[in-house]
Amino acid sequence: MNQIGNITDPHSSYSSYLTGDENHTLIKVTVNTANTGENVNQMDNREDSFENMELESVSMQGTGTSDFGAWLPQLADSGDTAVPAKKAKMSTFSFHLSDVLDQIDRDSAAVSETLRGYTDTQLRKVTEFYRQRIEEVIEGRVEGVSLTILSEVKSNDRCYKEIQQLARDGRQREASKLLLDTVMETGAQAARAMWEGFVKMMPNYPKLRKILQEIENKGANLPMEVRQSQMESRVSNYLKEIQVQHKKFLHEKSENLLINVIGGKKFKIPLKDQYTEQIIIVSDPDQNVSRLDLTVRGKRREEGQRKMIKTHREPVGIGQLFRSSFGKSSLSGTTVVSGAAGIGKTTMIQKIVCDWVDGKIYPQFQFVFLFRFRDLNNIKGKTSIKKLILDSYPHFGNEIEHLWEDPQGLLFILDSLEEFKEKIDFTNSKRNSLPEHQCFHPDCECEVSDIVRCLIQQKVLKGCSVLVTTRPTELESLREAEINLWAEIVGFLKEQRKEYFQKYFGDQSLAEAAFTYVEQNDILYSMCDNPSYCRIICYSLAPGLRQMQGTWEILPATVTQIFATYISNIFKNHEFNIYKHHDLSPEQIRDLVIKAGKMAHMGICDNIIHFNEKQLNNFGLERSHTLPGFLIEYLNTDMSQPIFSFIHITLQEFVAALAKYLTVDPQNLTQLLDSAAERGDRSRTFLRFMVGLSSSVSARILGDILGPLPYQTICRVTDWVKEQTENNLSNTRNNLNTQSEGSSSSKLLESLYYLFELQNTELMRNTVGSGGILALGHDSPDSAIRLTPTDCSVLAAVISHWDEILELNLNNCCLGTEGIQRLAPVLHKCKQLRLRGNNLTEEGVKLLSAALRRQDCKIQTLDLCSNGLSHTDAQQLAMGLTSNSSLTQLYLSKNKLGDAGVKYLCEALNSCHCKIQTLELCENLIRGNIIDQLSSVLRNNQSLTNLNLNNNKLGHMGFQLLTNTLRQQNCPIQTLELEGNGISDTFTEELTRIPFINTSLTMVNLSNNLLTDHSICALQNMIQWHTYLREIRLQRNKFSPDGSKHLQSLNNHRPGLCIEMYTRAISEESQNNSMVIE
């Protein structure tokens, strides 16, 4: 097996992948998808609040061939089956593992043979051609890949270590680049060794396997294709001057973005200042990412997109759509780029044209021609390619004939196919073969649809390149068009969102404030993957972030206010208003909102998120009402009819609530709210919006477009919220730590959302009030509810209105670092703060430490058990404890503090400010090395009365701590727990010699140790002479039956003394094979 230093190459064989290596435990079997009869209109029965959804994967329709399943035969049943490799029952499949291995061997051999057929120079050119894709493919696993490749090329350890360090620093792309640089600089043999290494890794890396399959398919022709694809096309002398004019013409057309604003005015923004590059991936019509589940929100949605891109899809730049390794051909052909409405297809086209003019991309093209389908709709009758070009680009004049001499130098861009009124049929071969429907030459006159079809299919100007952009609705019509490359615009991930905000606001501080605001709300954050929605949201937030007319506007404080602002901007802003030519009156807007809202509410009640055109008509809505930012249109899964959905499921819920709010009879309102509450998760968001519409801010925002909201409805909703909150608070306190608490905690959380959305400060204070108890957590992880970051923001907003809170119980609520960040501003107000089982991490502990350092900190009890805290976390916590005088009880059990962490705590406990009385450190990997520091604390700290060190690894040093305590007269310690520390008889004799001058210690726990009858005399001496001792626990030690009876008899030595011992059987290793006392 290949090695670098002492590190073993994990990829030298692919057998581990099939037999269940820990890094590759699943074989994904791709199977044919059949119609299961499920209603495409149905929403999943899942928890569907603003953020309270269980983590779910982002799914894509259809199945790909880039998974391991591509190596397996297609099965007859439906669905994608992930089979654990170690447990797979081969009898359930129609093939044997040996067949799969044989196929892998055959494919690997074919690729290796192709690579060996290239000369060193050809292989180097091929490597350079695929380099960017290779770097991206290996980026995520560069540490393991570098070990494999550098083993093959016999590189030294220095390079490997440098790559590993880059990867550990989070600079994986730099690491993969360094790996390729090293190979290329080493020489031809190293490059061959690298490719052979890639062949061995084929089964483990789907995207790498795709590259190798492309190379094997193109075979000996690939080097020639690579060379030709990189050749710049020479412009004939007849066209050189015209090319200059053409570029100047396009530059003037593409250098600026035109932004529509209120009132129909437009202003120009330089494209280079505003353009933010979208994520574009290589795709296919069956796996369109825009069909992602609408109920997956926020960062979970983004995580799903990132995972999909990382494991199955390759990102492609706007300069790689042609003449690159991504297409079937690297020379010519048609590329289709799809994307949802507003995702930025047209802006991408403008950027491509601008960059070509500036010489940044595609030097292989002499001329680029842009046509928009909306303009092609205006052409009546027949026309020709020649006429189309001259009508749009008249500067060609009589020299246009020279264009046809070199078709490979031409790029035609056809933007927004979904806007084309004519149907382009690529499947009707009988019709398309008729002379009148064929475009043989640029001078041939025929229908525009036939010209487009012939260009796309290379029937005319063979060798030219064509770029088509479209919404996913039109992909079905292009299936038979022999497309060279399918691509899809995914939109923005976090990095692009931040860049967009920066460019929109210009001011760094404003951009950061806006982005932070959006990032904290999963709904807004998920909507910002679309540039158009991103712009609407930025537009909505801008007034609150900028000083306008001498006043400082307030940002939307709740989700209801955000959506109210969003809806208001759709109708008030000319850029987003479907009625471009006239403004709507409040009555007309109200009528449209009510119609759309009634349909939305029907969908909520019946679990429908997709609506057909008949349903739109039933509610008096026209197809023209599918305006950007409101409804979107796309084709059904069978591509037979259009279907409609709201751009986000939460917008559907908001419009439904708004319509009900405007139309419900106030006398029936309580019944409506109670009924919705009984439906639970299905109506959760709807109810929050109903409450939020009763806030004065929401009413003011919507009043500008709808007129006044009904006052009586506002009052009745407020009364309902008060009653719900009081009931849920009472139920939660009564059910504390019972099995039913999870349900009552969820209801209490909903009441907090109602208070937050209502923004009624007086109601918040009167309903819960200072000194209240908020118990959302549970001691059992299975019974606790999971709080999302948004839940924490809501909780913090409500608590912020109180001076203090008696108890905040968030045990096992899965807060994580982000949850603590949201709660940080109010943690100091909680007298009892219970945060066990929340995976706080170092950053979370820093925030807690800061809360403890506040002069107004009221925390008296802090429970941080089971958080995986390390010694560095203890150091941060100690910084807060050193200056804190309010904390009296600190629970840190079941962490990983170790001796180093306890040392930091001891330093804090020795502070004169520290008033901790109870300290629990169970199960913290503490060893005996820390005994001196603990003894110092017990000697100097006058407040610590209870110390729990159960289940650590003190060994015999634990007894030393006990004897040190008994020797100290002024030591205030009352209870000392040393259970499960491996304490043996070694030093127990010390108890027969030391003076018992301690007057505080009343309880000692020595259970579950290794004490035998040899320690009975010493224990008896302590029991008899330390007269203040009231309780000693000795369960689960190794005393003989007689010894146990003797110790138990000492219970009668004095009144109030309790010696706890219970009987159980132990092994034959116990003396005399007897029964011992537990």
Side-chain angles (χ1 to χ4, degrees):
M1 188 173 291
N2 294 321
Q3 291 184 332
I4 293 181
N6 295 321
I7 305 174
T8 304
D9 176 5
H11 298 295
S12 57
S13 170
Y14 54 70
S15 60
S16 63
Y17 183 79
L18 295 174
T19 56
D21 179 87
E22 65 179 358
N23 294 321
H24 306 285
T25 56
L26 295 180
I27 295 177
K28 184 172 183 180
V29 182
T30 303
V31 296
N32 293 327
T33 55
N35 185 1
T36 60
E38 296 179 356
N39 187 345
V40 297
N41 290 335
Q42 298 300 310
M43 291 188 286
D44 295 336
N45 287 326
R46 56 167 64 90
E47 186 176 351
D48 194 27
S49 68
F50 291 122
E51 280 219 353
N52 273 3
M53 297 188 300
E54 294 300 319
L55 182 61
E56 54 188 311
S57 61
V58 179
S59 59
M60 295 181 294
Q61 294 185 5
T63 54
T65 57
S66 61
D67 291 331
F68 186 79
W71 297 89
L72 308 180
Q74 294 288 305
L75 302 184
D77 53 349
S78 64
D80 282 356
T81 307
V83 184
K86 289 185 177 180
K87 299 180 181 179
K89 295 182 179 180
M90 289 304 170
S91 60
T92 63
F93 299 100
S94 61
F95 55 85
H96 298 286
L97 181 58
S98 58
D99 297 331
V100 180
L101 294 173
D102 289 343
Q103 182 62 47
I104 293 175
D105 288 337
R106 287 193 294 271
D107 291 334
S108 298
V111 174
S112 295
E113 183 179 356
T114 300
L115 291 169
R116 285 193 295 269
Y118 298 151
T119 65
D120 291 346
T121 301
Q122 290 175 334
L123 187 62
R124 184 177 185 86
K125 291 291 185 182
V126 169
T127 304
E128 292 172 347
F129 191 60
Y130 282 96
R131 173 163 180 162
Q132 185 173 338
R133 290 176 65 184
I134 293 172
E135 287 181 4
E136 189 276 327
V137 166
I138 67 176
E139 179 180 348
R141 305 179 186 178
V142 67
E143 294 178 85
V145 174
S146 64
L147 178 58
T148 300
I149 300 305
L150 295 179
S151 297
E152 294 287 344
V153 303
K154 297 180 173 55
S155 178
N156 55 39
D157 287 359
R158 181 188 59 77
C159 181
Y160 173 73
K161 291 178 180 177
E162 189 175 349
I163 290 172
Q164 299 297 300
Q165 187 60 51
L166 286 171
R168 283 192 291 270
D169 293 342
R171 298 156 64 187
Q172 284 83 2
R173 177 49 68 94
E174 292 180 50
S176 60
K177 184 178 185 302
L178 176 58
L179 174 59
L180 269 293
D181 284 341
T182 302
V183 172
M184 298 297 284
E185 292 169 2
T186 303
Q189 291 306 311
R192 290 193 180 278
M194 178 186 71
W195 282 105
E196 284 302 320
F198 287 158
V199 172
K200 292 179 181 179
M201 293 155 54
M202 280 176 67
N204 298 23
Y205 295 80
K207 291 197 287 189
L208 180 59
R209 182 170 64 246
K210 183 174 182 290
I211 292 173
L212 293 171
Q213 286 176 330
E214 291 173 8
I215 292 174
E216 193 270 325
N217 290 337
K218 293 185 177 182
N221 296 326
L222 178 58
M224 178 64 71
E225 186 175 312
V226 168
R227 186 178 68 84
Q228 291 179 349
S229 69
Q230 297 173 344
M231 293 175 58
E232 292 190 24
S233 182
R234 295 183 179 179
V235 183
S236 69
N237 293 330
Y238 301 102
L239 297 173
K240 284 183 178 180
E241 184 178 341
I242 290 181
Q243 188 190 57
V244 173
Q245 295 180 45
H246 187 63
K247 286 190 173 183
K248 182 180 179 181
F249 178 83
L250 289 179
H251 179 74
E252 293 173 353
K253 293 284 187 180
S254 63
E255 65 176 335
N256 293 315
L257 282 173
L258 292 179
I259 305 298
N260 297 324
V261 295
I262 295 175
K265 297 181 180 179
K266 298 185 177 184
F267 66 92
K268 296 180 180 180
I269 299 178
L271 178 66
K272 60 183 176 61
D273 294 339
Q274 188 68 26
Y275 180 76
T276 301
E277 188 170 356
Q278 310 99 316
I279 302 297
I280 308 173
I281 61 171
V282 177
S283 185
D284 65 66
D286 291 324
Q287 296 185 317
N288 200 269
V289 179
S290 62
R291 300 176 191 171
L292 292 172
D293 189 349
L294 289 174
T295 61
V296 182
R297 293 166 172 159
K299 292 183 179 178
R300 282 195 294 257
R301 178 183 176 93
E302 183 182 32
E303 288 166 5
Q305 290 175 324
R306 284 188 186 276
K307 183 177 180 181
M308 176 269 299
I309 294 170
K310 181 178 179 181
T311 58
H312 295 93
R313 292 287 179 264
E314 292 186 85
V316 56
I318 60 172
Q320 298 172 311
L321 299 173
F322 300 95
R323 305 296 179 93
S324 72
S325 62
F326 287 100
K328 297 175 184 176
S329 169
S330 303
L331 301 179
S332 63
T334 297
T335 295
V336 174
V337 178
S338 64
I343 203 69
K345 299 182 295 295
T346 298
T347 306
M348 177 201 71
I349 292 298
Q350 188 172 342
K351 177 64 172 173
I352 289 175
V353 172
C354 191
D355 283 359
W356 175 78
V357 170
D358 293 339
K360 297 178 180 179
I361 58 175
Y362 301 131
Q364 302 93 334
F365 295 129
Q366 300 174 16
F367 294 95
V368 173
F369 301 105
L370 169 60
F371 298 99
R372 306 190 190 283
F373 279 102
R374 73 169 74 101
D375 298 327
L376 296 180
N377 288 329
N378 298 326
I379 298 175
K380 307 300 181 183
K382 295 184 177 182
T383 188
S384 65
I385 295 176
K386 177 179 178 180
K387 192 172 187 305
L388 283 174
I389 293 177
L390 289 175
D391 286 345
S392 299
Y393 306 98
H395 47 264
F396 278 89
N398 295 329
E399 305 298 336
I400 193 171
E401 299 295 336
H402 296 287
L403 279 177
W404 326 137
E405 296 172 2
D406 186 12
Q408 287 194 346
L410 305 180
L411 170 62
F412 292 89
I413 300 177
L414 307 174
D415 186 28
S416 301
L417 176 60
E418 73 279 355
E419 296 181 356
F420 195 39
K421 294 180 180 179
E422 302 296 327
K423 181 180 180 181
I424 305 174
D425 190 349
F426 294 95
T427 61
N428 192 339
S429 56
K430 183 176 181 180
R431 173 199 176 278
N432 295 340
S433 61
L434 296 175
E436 61 268 28
H437 295 299
Q438 293 191 49
C439 181
F440 297 104
H441 189 270
D443 289 325
C444 289
E445 292 198 353
C446 51
E447 301 292 337
V448 175
S449 59
D450 289 320
I451 293 176
V452 171
R453 175 178 54 79
C454 290
L455 276 173
I456 291 175
Q457 289 191 306
Q458 299 275 295
K459 302 293 185 183
V460 63
L461 294 176
K462 188 174 181 60
C464 72
S465 297
V466 180
L467 173 58
V468 179
T469 67
T470 180
R471 293 183 189 175
T473 54
E474 305 302 318
L475 292 178
E476 178 68 14
S477 65
L478 294 166
R479 284 178 180 274
E480 305 300 324
E482 300 178 10
I483 302 302
N484 187 55
L485 175 64
W486 299 93
E488 179 183 3
I489 302 178
V490 177
F492 291 161
L493 296 179
K494 180 176 181 178
E495 298 79 7
Q496 291 77 36
R497 289 178 172 101
K498 291 188 74 172
E499 180 183 347
Y500 186 95
F501 274 62
Q502 177 60 52
K503 290 181 176 179
Y504 181 92
F505 288 99
D507 183 276
Q508 179 72 27
S509 60
L510 287 177
E512 289 181 359
F515 183 78
T516 300
Y517 181 84
V518 169
E519 191 178 24
Q520 290 177 351
N521 185 281
D522 263 7
I523 300 166
L524 292 184
Y525 189 74
S526 58
M527 291 173 70
C528 279
D529 64 358
N530 185 304
S532 290
Y533 308 152
C534 205
R535 174 164 176 77
I536 295 175
I537 290 170
C538 286
Y539 182 87
S540 300
L541 295 178
L545 291 169
R546 291 194 173 104
Q547 191 172 8
M548 302 181 67
Q549 297 179 350
T551 62
W552 188 264
E553 298 288 334
I554 300 174
L555 277 176
T558 70
V559 179
T560 306
Q561 292 174 19
I562 291 169
F563 273 84
T565 305
Y566 183 91
I567 290 289
S568 176
N569 276 308
I570 287 176
F571 289 103
K572 291 170 65 177
N573 187 350
H574 183 82
E575 180 178 2
F576 310 117
N577 190 349
I578 187 172
Y579 300 97
K580 301 288 185 181
H581 305 296
H582 64 278
D583 293 328
L584 292 176
S585 67
E587 292 75 19
Q588 290 173 310
I589 296 176
R590 181 185 285 248
D591 180 63
L592 176 58
V593 168
I594 290 174
K595 289 177 180 178
K598 287 182 177 179
M599 185 180 74
H601 188 260
M602 179 272 292
I604 292 174
C605 295
D606 296 340
N607 288 354
I608 297 175
I609 59 175
H610 299 137
F611 306 90
N612 57 39
E613 194 164 1
K614 181 179 178 182
Q615 289 169 319
L616 257 70
N617 295 334
N618 289 342
F619 287 96
L621 293 170
E622 301 175 6
R623 189 169 180 174
S624 61
H625 291 156
T626 60
L627 65 160
F630 204 71
L631 290 171
I632 54 176
E633 174 188 355
Y634 50 96
L635 289 182
N636 204 340
T637 51
D638 61 3
M639 301 295 178
S640 61
Q641 60 179 341
I643 57 176
F644 306 84
S645 71
F646 290 84
I647 64 167
H648 198 282
I649 189 173
T650 313
L651 182 61
Q652 177 180 343
E653 292 162 326
F654 176 79
V655 176
L658 181 55
K660 277 293 179 184
Y661 203 92
L662 294 172
T663 58
V664 67
D665 184 346
Q667 302 300 322
N668 300 327
L669 182 59
T670 301
Q671 180 181 352
L672 170 68
L673 297 175
D674 287 339
S675 176
E678 289 175 2
R679 288 198 296 269
D681 297 341
R682 289 172 52 189
S683 298
R684 174 174 295 171
T685 309
F686 169 80
L687 263 177
R688 293 179 187 175
F689 281 138
M690 286 290 291
V691 173
L693 288 168
S694 298
S695 76
S696 58
V697 177
S698 297
R700 176 178 56 79
I701 295 170
L702 292 170
D704 292 341
I705 60 169
L706 299 174
L709 300 187
Y711 177 74
Q712 194 173 359
T713 300
I714 294 175
C715 295
R716 288 187 178 271
V717 168
T718 304
D719 291 341
W720 183 82
V721 170
K722 182 176 185 296
E723 180 182 354
Q724 288 287 311
T725 305
E726 290 174 345
N727 290 340
N728 290 330
L729 277 169
S730 176
N731 292 337
T732 304
R733 291 164 184 161
N734 294 337
N735 296 328
L736 192 63
N737 284 338
T738 66
Q739 290 300 316
S740 61
E741 191 192 351
S743 173
S744 58
S745 297
S746 297
K747 291 180 179 178
L748 176 58
L749 178 62
E750 278 309 295
S751 292
L752 296 177
Y753 265 97
Y754 300 155
L755 292 173
F756 172 72
E757 289 293 334
L758 198 55
Q759 290 290 294
N760 188 321
T761 301
E762 182 180 359
L763 182 63
M764 290 184 195
R765 289 175 176 168
N766 294 340
T767 304
V768 182
S770 295
I773 297 176
L774 287 178
L776 297 172
H778 198 283
D779 288 344
S780 169
D782 294 335
S783 300
I785 62 173
R786 176 190 178 197
L787 295 183
T788 67
T790 296
D791 295 334
C792 295
S793 294
V794 169
L795 180 57
V798 175
I799 294 176
S800 67
H801 293 280
W802 309 330
D803 294 329
E804 66 179 34
I805 177 172
L806 180 61
E807 179 179 352
L808 178 61
N809 184 338
L810 301 179
N811 286 343
N812 298 302
C813 286
C814 303
L815 301 180
T817 301
E818 192 169 359
I820 289 295
Q821 287 175 338
R822 307 287 179 90
L823 290 166
V826 299
L827 293 178
H828 67 284
K829 297 185 175 187
C830 309
K831 288 188 174 181
Q832 297 183 44
L833 182 57
R834 306 192 184 279
L835 298 173
R836 69 169 56 198
N838 277 297
N839 188 30
L840 297 186
T841 73
E842 184 176 357
E843 184 61 30
V845 176
K846 285 181 181 179
L847 294 169
L848 278 172
S849 179
L852 290 169
R853 290 195 297 271
R854 291 182 59 132
Q855 291 185 351
D856 58 345
C857 178
K858 296 180 172 62
I859 302 175
Q860 298 175 2
T861 299
L862 180 59
D863 186 347
L864 298 177
C865 299
S866 304
N867 271 293
L869 304 183
S870 67
H871 68 280
T872 55
D873 300 318
Q875 183 179 19
Q876 289 294 333
L877 186 61
M879 294 172 62
L881 298 175
T882 302
S883 58
N884 179 278
S885 298
S886 65
L887 190 68
T888 58
Q889 298 182 71
L890 178 59
Y891 300 96
L892 293 170
S893 297
K894 297 184 179 180
N895 284 297
K896 301 174 183 179
L897 303 183
D899 289 355
V902 175
K903 182 179 178 180
Y904 291 123
L905 293 178
C906 288
E907 293 173 357
L909 289 166
N910 281 322
S911 167
C912 61
H913 298 286
C914 184
K915 305 300 180 184
I916 291 178
Q917 299 173 9
T918 298
L919 178 61
E920 278 199 5
L921 295 171
C922 307
E923 297 183 39
N924 264 291
L925 306 177
I926 305 171
R927 301 180 183 274
N929 302 328
I930 204 68
I931 292 302
D932 290 343
Q933 285 86 348
L934 285 171
S935 297
S936 174
V937 169
L938 297 179
R939 183 169 58 252
N940 301 322
N941 185 297
Q942 295 302 303
S943 61
L944 187 64
T945 57
N946 304 290
L947 178 60
N948 189 331
L949 294 167
N950 290 344
N951 300 313
N952 283 292
K953 300 180 179 181
L954 298 179
H956 63 269
M957 298 299 290
F959 232 100
Q960 182 179 334
L961 180 64
L962 174 60
T963 56
N964 290 346
T965 303
L966 293 169
R967 282 192 180 101
Q968 298 172 22
Q969 184 175 6
N970 297 325
C971 176
I973 200 76
Q974 296 176 10
T975 64
L976 180 62
E977 304 209 39
L978 298 169
E979 178 180 339
N981 269 284
I983 298 174
S984 64
D985 302 322
T986 307
F987 288 98
T988 53
E989 290 186 6
E990 281 289 308
L991 291 176
T992 63
R993 295 191 289 269
I994 64 172
F996 295 102
I997 60 176
N998 182 295
T999 59
S1000 301
L1001 188 65
T1002 59
M1003 195 281 279
V1004 176
N1005 183 2
L1006 295 172
S1007 301
N1008 197 26
N1009 281 296
L1010 306 174
L1011 302 178
T1012 70
D1013 288 358
H1014 294 294
S1015 297
I1016 290 178
C1017 182
L1019 292 170
Q1020 177 177 319
N1021 191 58
M1022 180 179 68
I1023 293 169
Q1024 290 178 339
W1025 295 103
H1026 186 53
T1027 57
Y1028 296 94
L1029 191 65
R1030 291 289 177 265
E1031 180 181 357
I1032 180 169
R1033 300 176 184 174
L1034 297 169
Q1035 304 100 306
R1036 297 185 301 281
N1037 274 287
K1038 295 184 177 295
F1039 302 114
S1040 69
D1042 290 340
S1044 299
K1045 290 179 181 177
H1046 178 71
L1047 287 170
Q1048 200 162 20
S1049 69
L1050 296 176
N1051 271 315
N1052 301 321
H1053 181 70
R1054 60 177 178 272
L1057 179 64
C1058 177
I1059 303 173
E1060 296 186 11
M1061 311 192 70
Y1062 300 97
T1063 304
R1064 68 172 174 86
I1066 64 169
S1067 66
E1068 295 180 358
E1069 294 179 342
S1070 299
Q1071 50 184 317
N1072 301 324
N1073 296 323
S1074 62
M1075 300 297 291
V1076 298
I1077 303 301
E1078 189 184 54

